Amino acid sequence: MDIENGISKSKSNSNGLRIAVFGAGGRVGRAAVAEAVARGHRVTAVVRDPAAYRDLEGAGVTLVRGDATDAASVAALTAGHDAVLHAAARLDLPSEEYFTAAAKALVTGLAEAGVRRLLTLGIATTLETAPGVRLMDAPEFPAAWRAFAQGHVAEFELLTAEAGPELDWVMVVPPLDLNAEAERTGGYRTAVGTVVEGPGRIGHADLALALLDEIERPRHSRVQLAVSV
């Protein structure tokens, strides 16, 4: 298990990156945008309805309309960017339909745009608690939750199968206890493919810290990266 101290990594970066965030209006998206701007990066905040998220606009942030399931939209909006974060979800569509459509569009669109780094947000129930045993495999696991989790499983499988070597991607997975109200601690722990030992919780600010650390200094590729404080 890796142990990260994000405090020393959160200072402003004079050599700012260009980062596109799909789902910038959500809680994780907002936290990631704020962390990126604090580090001196320029952010393209992608949402489906910009009129509903005007508060995102500000120094270092360009608010745009876009669709993560549309390869042409992905390509047009991400050209010239250094990295992309996919933190969007659609509750009005079946989970597997949305996440596979987004994965396909991101693979195609980012290849066209020449973007080489992709982070996508996963869900803790897809992580293993023992070799070959995932949280979602428990007999008592609710069927509706399993169906939603399956969308992320399908997304991961599609990225593994279809993303070419030119796309350096990683699925970052927060624990079940993702707390919007939790104060920033400035640190986090990680594990690859399995739940992180301990109580399993993280706040949005610390999750954003982990996301931006992986964008600035890529250390993991083509895996599920679990993060927790």
Side-chain angles (χ1 to χ4, degrees), residues 50-214:
Y53 300 101
R54 293 298 180 194
D55 61 302
L56 283 171
E57 293 180 306
V61 179
T62 301
L63 181 66
V64 300
R65 183 189 308 275
D67 183 357
T69 66
D70 182 339
S73 176
V74 170
L77 294 175
T78 63
H81 286 69
D82 299 288
V84 168
L85 168 63
H86 175 230
R90 290 281 299 272
L91 300 182
D92 58 328
L93 295 175
S95 175
E96 191 164 350
E97 177 184 335
Y98 172 74
F99 286 110
T100 55
K104 290 178 180 178
L106 287 163
V107 168
T108 301
L110 296 182
E112 182 177 338
V115 178
R116 298 184 58 85
R117 183 62 167 166
L118 168 66
L119 276 68
T120 188
L121 200 67
I123 190 169
T125 50
T126 64
L127 296 170
E128 291 187 346
T129 56
V133 180
R134 302 170 300 185
L135 284 169
M136 62 184 285
D137 295 329
E140 68 277 11
F141 195 82
W145 293 6
R146 184 179 291 108
F148 185 82
Q150 184 58 39
H152 287 287
V153 172
E155 176 190 16
F156 184 82
E157 291 175 345
L158 192 148
L159 287 170
T160 300
E162 298 189 14
E166 69 282 354
L167 183 62
D168 180 21
W169 62 269
V170 64
M171 179 176 281
V172 179
V173 187
L176 290 174
D177 186 1
L178 178 56
N179 190 343
E181 306 302 324
E183 294 184 5
R184 176 189 177 110
T185 69
Y188 56 89
R189 297 173 297 140
T190 65
V192 174
T194 67
V195 295
V196 179
E197 295 177 5
R201 62 176 180 272
I202 200 170
H204 287 75
D206 285 328
L207 176 56
L209 182 69
L211 291 167
L212 266 295
D213 283 352
E214 272 295 323

